[in-house]
Every structure is written in structure tokens, then in C-alpha cells.
Amino acid sequence: MTNDKPRFLLLKSINGDPILVNLSLVRTVTTINLAGDDVGVISYDKDHEVVVGSTVPDVMAAMAADPIPLSD
């Protein structure tokens, strides 16, 4: 899933606030149950993971949506 061109997805952080994630650096996304809530774990490499409030279906929907425009 990695390439050199950044593509940002708008997801939810663990507390529900919006968070931008660079899809070009993401290697895997999984859903886990944390204290009764389904949350996502985004892996960048074997040593770097981020827990987010978005699940795998949320991430897939964000990937299918139009890219977020960023200015230079």
C-alpha cells in the first residue's frame, strides 16, 4: 500500500476528534476490541502503530472517498 506520493485520509482519533493519516505510509489496518469498543490499529512498520477510533470499514470508506485537498 505504500508509495511516494502522500494521500491523506480523514479518520477519527481514539477520542473521536478528526485526525489526518497519510495512507501512503500505512502498511496494515486492523480492528480490535478495546474496553468494549471497536477501534482501529494502523501499522506503519513492525515498530510503529497508532490506535484510532476508526475501524477497518471506516478506513476503507475513507479510501474510496475523494482525496483531501492540501495546499502547497
Side-chain angles (χ1 to χ4, degrees), residues 11-31:
L11 301 176
K12 293 184 303 185
S13 67
I14 194 74
N15 66 358
D17 291 336
I19 184 173
L20 285 177
V21 174
N22 184 351
L23 178 64
S24 66
L25 299 177
V26 173
R27 296 189 46 97
T28 62
V29 180
T30 57
T31 299

Side-chain angles (χ1 to χ4, degrees), residues 10-54:
L10 183 59
L11 301 176
K12 293 184 303 185
S13 67
I14 194 74
N15 66 358
D17 291 336
I19 184 173
L20 285 177
V21 174
N22 184 351
L23 178 64
S24 66
L25 299 177
V26 173
R27 296 189 46 97
T28 62
V29 180
T30 57
T31 299
I32 62 169
N33 188 285
L34 183 67
D37 291 325
D38 284 343
V39 296
V41 178
I42 295 175
S43 300
Y44 294 98
D45 59 35
K46 68 178 186 160
D47 297 322
H48 297 92
E49 297 178 333
V50 176
V51 176
V52 295
S54 300

